[in-house]
Amino acid sequence: MQVINLNQKLSLFSDHWSPKIIGRVSGHDIKLAKIAGDFIWHDHAEEDELFFVISGTLYIDFRERATAELNPGDMIIAPAGVEHRPRTKDGMEVQLMLVEPGQIKHTGDVEHELTVRDYERI
Amino acid sequence: MQVINLNQKLSLFSDHWSPKIIGRVSGHDIKLAKIAGDFIWHDHAEEDELFFVISGTLYIDFRERATAELNPGDMIIAPAGVEHRPRTKDGMEVQLMLVEPGQIKHTGDVEHELTVRDYERI
């Protein structure tokens, strides 16, 4: 058990679209991610997924509703089964915190070159 | 599904030691709380509990290890079964985000005048 500082953890990596685990709360993972550009359309059949923006502007597209725009201090919860596509503006970097069940795959059931199989813990 | 802004949600209440639910992620609640002064010693037999400091300086005492000091951007996860006591410095207010299983009671098995039975959703 130790104090976890978000900025210190963010300083430990620079790769995009590769969430890092910083803690676990009763089976849910707390992750940090840096992203830039467009992700792929996907959903998570069983898991809700929380996106919390630390820096930058995040867009999340949905199939049947308006795109959400999130700025620092904003969060959104993508419910299980709802297809979504995170992306950033003009390829700029966004820093995120994620809260989601530990067994989640960030590309859902889509197998893609971006799919991470074993999340690094930092 | 909507964008949730932490500062907007924090503006909706001013009472201390009464966490408010702002979202749910696969059975875990995301809560905001304002606290000031000393809480009671307690643990949660079954649930881990994450404290993330938004403003102010939070201290968490533990029975068998050093007190943790958390400033904005810091988090700590109190594991299930570990007795702890949140408190603030000189009674100053601290604003917190909590992540914990939805069934948790914030005073654990301790029945106290501060015990909240039904968390308000804001």
Side-chain angles (χ1 to χ4, degrees):
Chain A
M1 179 177 20
Q2 56 189 3
V3 175
I4 299 161
N5 179 266
L6 289 196
N7 284 330
Q8 188 272 331
K9 292 294 189 188
L10 286 166
S11 75
L12 299 178
F13 68 99
S14 58
D15 50 335
H16 291 155
W17 302 113
S18 182
K20 316 297 184 193
I21 297 173
I22 61 167
R24 175 162 279 205
V25 182
S26 293
H28 279 40
D29 281 341
I30 313 299
K31 296 180 182 134
L32 294 179
K34 297 181 179 181
I35 66 173
D38 294 1
F39 203 52
I40 57 171
W41 281 102
H42 68 286
D43 69 356
H44 310 280
E46 305 291 341
E47 300 95 355
D48 303 333
E49 182 173 35
L50 181 148
F51 299 81
F52 175 72
V53 175
I54 299 167
S55 71
T57 299
L58 172 68
Y59 296 95
I60 302 185
D61 299 321
F62 298 98
R63 293 290 192 194
E64 291 172 8
R65 64 188 82 200
T67 294
E69 176 182 327
L70 290 87
N71 291 295
D74 288 338
M75 64 174 64
I76 197 169
I77 298 164
V82 172
E83 205 175 9
H84 55 280
R85 178 178 64 177
R87 61 183 170 84
T88 73
K89 186 174 183 176
D90 302 328
M92 289 189 292
E93 185 174 272
V94 172
Q95 300 186 340
L96 292 176
M97 183 165 68
L98 305 167
V99 180
E100 53 198 17
Q103 74 277 12
I104 203 169
K105 291 198 296 181
H106 68 150
T107 55
D109 290 333
V110 179
E111 289 293 331
H112 187 275
E113 60 183 348
L114 289 173
T115 302
V116 173
R117 284 164 217 296
D118 294 300
Y119 294 101
E120 184 182 0
R121 181 153 188 159
I122 60 173
Chain B
M1 180 176 20
Q2 57 190 2
V3 176
I4 300 161
N5 179 267
L6 290 197
N7 284 330
Q8 188 272 330
K9 292 294 188 189
L10 285 166
S11 75
L12 299 179
F13 68 99
S14 58
D15 49 336
H16 291 157
W17 302 114
S18 183
K20 315 298 184 193
I21 297 173
I22 61 167
R24 176 161 278 204
V25 182
S26 293
H28 279 40
D29 280 342
I30 313 298
K31 296 179 182 138
L32 294 178
K34 297 181 179 182
I35 66 173
D38 294 0
F39 203 52
I40 57 171
W41 281 102
H42 68 286
D43 69 357
H44 310 280
E46 304 291 340
E47 301 95 356
D48 304 332
E49 182 172 35
L50 180 147
F51 299 83
F52 175 72
V53 174
I54 299 167
S55 72
T57 299
L58 172 68
Y59 296 95
I60 303 187
D61 299 319
F62 298 98
R63 294 287 191 196
E64 293 172 7
R65 64 188 83 201
T67 294
E69 177 182 326
L70 291 87
N71 291 294
D74 288 337
M75 64 173 64
I76 197 169
I77 298 165
V82 172
E83 205 175 9
H84 56 280
R85 178 178 63 178
R87 61 183 169 85
T88 73
K89 186 175 183 175
D90 301 329
M92 289 189 293
E93 185 174 272
V94 172
Q95 300 187 339
L96 292 175
M97 183 166 68
L98 305 167
V99 180
E100 53 198 16
Q103 74 277 14
I104 203 169
K105 291 199 296 182
H106 69 150
T107 54
D109 290 333
V110 179
E111 289 293 332
H112 187 275
E113 61 183 346
L114 290 172
T115 302
V116 173
R117 285 162 215 297
D118 294 299
Y119 294 102
E120 184 183 1
R121 181 154 188 155
I122 60 173

